[in-house]
Amino acid sequence: MGLFDQIINAIDNSNQQGNAGQLGNILNTVQQVSNSTGTDPSTMQSALGIVGNYVRSALQQKQATEGNEAAQNVVNQFGGTSPNPQAVNSLFAPFLQQQLAETVAQRTGLNAGMVQQLLPILVPVVLNLLKSGANSQNPQAGGNPVLNSFLDSDRDGDVDIMDAIQLASRYLGR
């Protein structure tokens, strides 16, 4: 089952945190960032996809070295739609932040300095999307299928935040 399918299941499952409002807030944040930077929404979605790939690598490393609970804790603590530099710092050393900004700039044509300033917005948005699968009663409880799918627990290689955002936009009719 793909990442977006897991997100839709989380929205439909009252035992998980995901809801249409959360998905709408994520899309609104991406749209606001696009508008405020004068960037085409598809370019911003591409940037978000690249950030998502870096977040996945960082969470996979955290999961491998500290366990599933540590990855879930980062998602729970920093997932949101408000800027949060701590979210970026919790996942990426300064040199990786710079590398991420340069990669996004190379692939999207955005200015690397602007991308660096957007990371405290984009990283929490990715984490918020992953948070949708957390248990609604006990977010620390394991078994977040959205996070597991994102970390590609089934090893099929089919994980992409950009696709999930585009599908979410269609799902909500935006």
Side-chain angles (χ1 to χ4, degrees):
M1 184 178 290
L3 177 61
F4 187 70
D5 293 329
Q6 291 292 348
I7 293 167
I8 294 302
N9 286 343
I11 289 172
D12 292 339
N13 184 341
S14 62
N15 293 325
Q16 291 177 302
Q17 289 186 13
N19 60 61
Q22 176 190 20
L23 202 52
N25 288 339
I26 290 168
L27 293 174
N28 287 340
T29 300
V30 173
Q31 185 65 45
Q32 288 170 0
V33 171
S34 293
N35 292 343
S36 70
T37 59
T39 304
D40 180 75
S42 64
T43 301
M44 194 54 63
Q45 288 176 2
S46 294
L48 195 61
I50 296 163
V51 169
N53 287 334
Y54 272 75
V55 168
R56 181 177 68 237
S57 294
L59 287 174
Q60 285 172 328
Q61 183 175 3
K62 187 166 279 298
Q63 182 184 45
T65 58
E66 300 174 40
N68 290 337
E69 199 171 287
Q72 182 67 53
N73 286 342
V74 169
V75 169
N76 291 340
Q77 183 176 0
F78 297 115
T81 54
S82 298
N84 189 341
Q86 287 181 312
V88 180
N89 294 332
S90 74
L91 291 172
F92 307 114
F95 78 93
L96 281 174
Q97 293 175 33
Q98 184 64 35
Q99 180 184 1
L100 171 53
E102 290 172 8
T103 300
V104 171
Q106 289 170 356
R107 294 188 187 164
T108 64
L110 296 172
N111 176 288
M114 180 178 68
V115 173
Q116 188 91 26
Q117 292 175 346
L118 292 176
L119 290 179
I121 299 169
L122 299 178
V123 170
V125 165
V126 170
L127 295 174
N128 193 21
L129 191 62
L130 301 176
K131 195 174 177 178
S132 64
N135 184 300
S136 58
Q137 302 302 313
N138 181 7
Q140 299 305 331
N144 177 338
V146 174
L147 178 61
N148 292 341
S149 180
F150 181 69
L151 296 178
D152 201 19
S153 298
D154 62 357
R155 309 275 191 261
D156 70 355
D158 183 27
V159 177
D160 193 333
I161 287 290
M162 187 176 98
D163 290 342
I165 292 292
Q166 289 173 341
L167 290 168
S169 183
R170 283 189 231 143
Y171 174 78
L172 294 176
R174 296 186 182 190

